[in-house]
Amino acid sequence: MAIDERTTTRTRRRAMFGSTRRVVGLLAVLAILVVVGVIIVPSVLPNLITSMRRNPYVPLLVAMFWIMATVAAIAGKRAIASGYLTWSGAATAHIGGTVANRVVPAGVGAAGVFVAALHRGGASNTAAAGVVALWAVAGGLAHGSGLLLGVAWLREGWSGLLTVVVVATVLVLAVRFLVRRLAARRAARPVTASVTTLLPSRRTKLQRLKATARDVVAAVRARPVLALAALGAQLAAATCLATGFALAAVGFGVEISIGVGMAAYLAGTALSAATPTPAGIGSAETALIGALMLAGAGLGEALPVVFLYRAVVLVAPVLAAAVMAAAWVVVRLLAAARARRRTARAPRPHVPHALLPAVVLAIEPDPAPDAAAP
């Protein structure tokens, strides 16, 4: 008992220390962002206003490509959770998760909203964890591919891009061959060891992670189209956002090609994902500015592009969530009004009033006993 109490006390202390450290780190990051915003934003505004006067359609262009990326992501989530989410449910989960990620960084807020939507659709904890894990793995692969392709394009051009594609293809084929060989060996090996199953409450975090990974692998092997749908949706969304960023840079007069601008976005976004700040504020701007400067843009040219692009991307999900909430309220009010009109038009059955017998008796009293006798 004493050992259990000591272990519990140590665990609580570690949890408290870890949470305190995270809070202190988040406050430090927010303080740095405030200082940077106070110092840098006033110097960026004149260049931003000048660029906006030169090409005022850049924000609409960025918003259009953000909408295309959002549609791709919603389609991907609907595909991998077709049995649990409708199109409206997938849209609500994605938009709500994007807004939640503005508060809870590192994708935790988005994952929580996604899991809640899956639970409302009837998914169990294991199924919800598998779907979210599949989406997260696809996102990690998309970010990793974007980083490799972006850096290769910025450093070597077409030759570097082709080299990365060839190497990635060879690695995929080699991994697939090894997986098949290992599966064949395991199938041929006799099973002698007994498998012990632990209760979910007694599993450690590592064991739960391994169990979730096994569930994801089993789901992917049973239906490979799910993995392809998730990866394709993530890549399509990243491509749309990269195209919007590149067109914004070209529209603001940065002398780079659209391909170089897309490569700069993919590399910068992948690098910013390593620093989990709320909505990537601070880390994403720094990475994108550095990527544009690596592509040949000056600091004065990169700052307006990045600040405008990030402003549109940060504000657009909030506006979309507000529109969806307002539409939901309007639909509920219209449904309630229709129900009231139907109730008013429906014929009501005749129900005599409770006082009607007493009124009849008062007007027409019963005849006297003598008069009623023969």
Side-chain angles (χ1 to χ4, degrees):
M1 295 295 293
I3 296 177
D4 294 339
E5 291 179 358
R6 291 177 183 176
T7 305
T8 305
T9 305
R10 290 177 183 176
T11 304
R12 290 178 180 176
R13 288 179 180 177
R14 289 177 182 176
M16 292 176 61
F17 179 74
S19 60
T20 304
R21 185 170 54 185
R22 286 193 293 268
V23 171
V24 171
L26 182 60
L27 291 177
V29 170
L30 291 177
I32 293 173
L33 292 177
V34 170
V35 172
V36 171
V38 170
I39 296 175
I40 294 180
V41 171
S43 63
V44 176
L45 286 178
N47 294 334
L48 181 60
I49 293 173
T50 303
S51 301
M52 284 289 297
R53 289 176 178 175
R54 188 187 310 153
N55 195 346
Y57 300 104
V58 172
L60 297 178
L61 193 65
V62 174
M64 183 182 67
F65 278 94
W66 176 85
I67 292 173
M68 295 171 60
T70 302
V71 170
I74 291 172
K77 289 186 176 181
R78 172 68 174 78
I80 64 176
S82 59
Y84 308 110
L85 293 181
T86 60
W87 282 104
S88 60
T92 304
H94 180 73
I95 298 296
T98 306
V99 175
N101 205 35
R102 302 290 183 262
V103 181
V104 183
V108 178
V113 175
F114 198 9
V115 169
L118 290 170
H119 283 169
R120 284 197 302 270
S124 61
N125 293 331
T126 304
V131 171
V132 174
L134 178 61
W135 184 256
V137 170
L141 291 176
H143 280 297
S145 303
L147 178 61
L148 292 176
L149 295 175
V151 172
W153 179 272
L154 292 176
R155 293 294 300 272
E156 302 296 335
W158 281 105
S159 61
L161 191 63
L162 292 176
T163 302
V164 170
V165 171
V166 171
V167 172
T169 304
V170 171
L171 287 177
V172 169
L173 294 177
V175 169
R176 187 176 180 181
F177 176 75
L178 290 176
V179 168
R180 287 185 175 180
R181 290 292 299 271
L182 291 175
R185 289 184 179 181
R186 287 181 180 177
R189 186 183 305 170
V191 179
T192 56
S194 60
V195 180
T196 57
T197 304
L198 294 177
L199 295 175
S201 59
R202 294 190 176 183
R203 291 179 180 177
T204 61
K205 292 183 178 180
L206 182 60
Q207 291 172 343
R208 293 176 184 174
L209 182 61
K210 289 181 179 179
T212 304
R214 285 195 297 268
D215 294 337
V216 172
V217 171
V220 171
R221 292 181 64 182
R223 296 181 62 187
V225 69
L226 295 180
L228 294 177
L231 184 59
Q234 292 277 14
L235 291 175
T239 303
C240 292
L241 293 175
T243 305
F245 180 78
L247 292 177
V250 173
F252 274 7
V254 181
E255 295 181 357
I256 58 174
S257 64
I258 296 178
V260 171
M262 293 176 66
Y265 174 83
L266 293 174
T269 304
L271 290 175
S272 67
T275 306
T277 57
I281 298 175
S283 60
E285 287 81 5
T286 304
L288 291 176
I289 290 171
L292 279 180
M293 293 180 67
L294 182 63
L299 181 61
E301 295 175 335
L303 283 175
V305 175
V306 173
F307 271 75
L308 174 68
Y309 181 83
R310 289 289 294 166
V312 174
V313 171
L314 289 175
V315 173
V318 179
L319 294 179
V323 171
M324 292 176 65
W328 181 80
V329 172
V330 170
V331 169
R332 293 295 298 270
L333 292 177
L334 291 177
R338 290 174 184 173
R340 287 195 298 269
R341 286 198 298 268
R342 290 175 182 175
T343 305
R345 292 175 182 175
R348 297 181 180 180
H350 178 71
V351 178
H353 198 273
L355 298 178
L356 185 58
V359 173
V360 172
L361 290 176
I363 297 176
E364 299 179 359
D366 293 337
D370 298 336

